[in-house]
Amino acid sequence: MEVVYLAGGCLWGVQAFIKTLPGVTFTEAGRANGTSPTLEGDYDGYAECVKTEFDPTVVTISELMGYLFEIIDPYSLNKQGQDVGEKYRTGVYSEKPQHLKEAKAFLSERDDYDLIVVEVLPLTNYVISAEEHQDRLARCPDDYCHIPEEILNRYK
């Protein structure tokens, strides 16, 4: 199994969507690339993300990028749906340089490459989100989600 961290706005919907994808074996709500090792304190620059464990023989980074693009507006900086702020930026983070290379290749092959604001960066810090954010939409299905329900459930 391999791990990549996907940011697509509010992590509740992103986690609910990603966990339904072929080849995904585990998801966890968290924070990528902030400066603090804890959840305490002021905002530290993190992006809400979903730690995504996947089987690379079933799904590739490029395919995961394609799925991510189904649920995000790749041209929107620091905003997805009604969620606004730097922590809602879109991105792909990994400790494996090959993942980043594949993600960048996916972006560069698109005709709209110059308009895309999705980050592709090495993972420098990861903090698991509080328990109340784990699988939030499964427990609280009426909570707000920026992803339309028909897309959210597309791969169930």
Side-chain angles (χ1 to χ4, degrees), residues 7 30-34 43 45-49 86-87 89 93 119:
R31 298 175 173 185
N33 287 4
Y43 175 71
Y46 67 83
E48 289 196 3
C49 74
E86 189 179 354
K87 71 179 182 177
R89 67 188 181 272
Y93 312 95
E119 291 184 328

Side-chain angles (χ1 to χ4, degrees), residues 1-6 51-57 59-65 91-107 119-123:
M1 296 302 139
E2 296 184 12
V3 176
V4 67
Y5 301 78
L6 302 173
K51 179 179 182 179
T52 304
E53 182 183 88
F54 66 99
D55 182 342
T57 66
V59 65
T60 66
I61 291 293
S62 181
E63 289 168 329
L64 287 171
M65 293 289 292
V92 177
Y93 312 95
S94 181
E95 296 172 304
K96 288 188 70 171
Q98 185 60 31
H99 288 171
L100 302 177
K101 182 179 175 184
E102 291 173 40
K104 287 177 181 176
F106 172 89
L107 296 177
E119 291 184 328
V120 178
L121 296 170
L123 182 76

Side-chain angles (χ1 to χ4, degrees), residues 19-32:
K19 71 184 321 165
T20 68
L21 300 178
V24 171
T25 57
F26 173 80
T27 63
E28 178 179 84
R31 298 175 173 185

Side-chain angles (χ1 to χ4, degrees), residues 128-142:
I128 184 174
S129 289
E131 186 58 37
E132 68 190 66
H133 296 292
Q134 303 301 325
D135 297 311
R136 176 70 181 214
L137 287 183
R139 292 182 294 102
C140 305
D142 294 330

Side-chain angles (χ1 to χ4, degrees), residues 54-121:
F54 66 99
D55 182 342
T57 66
V58 177
V59 65
T60 66
I61 291 293
S62 181
E63 289 168 329
L64 287 171
M65 293 289 292
Y67 289 127
L68 180 65
F69 270 54
E70 290 182 37
I71 60 170
I72 65 168
D73 176 351
Y75 317 122
S76 181
L77 183 63
N78 302 331
K79 180 182 186 304
Q80 292 295 310
Q82 296 175 16
D83 300 311
V84 180
E86 189 179 354
K87 71 179 182 177
Y88 298 116
R89 67 188 181 272
T90 54
V92 177
Y93 312 95
S94 181
E95 296 172 304
K96 288 188 70 171
Q98 185 60 31
H99 288 171
L100 302 177
K101 182 179 175 184
E102 291 173 40
K104 287 177 181 176
F106 172 89
L107 296 177
S108 69
E109 292 167 3
R110 291 180 54 101
D111 293 338
D112 57 355
Y113 175 74
D114 293 340
L115 304 173
I116 295 171
V117 294
V118 176
E119 291 184 328
V120 178
L121 296 170

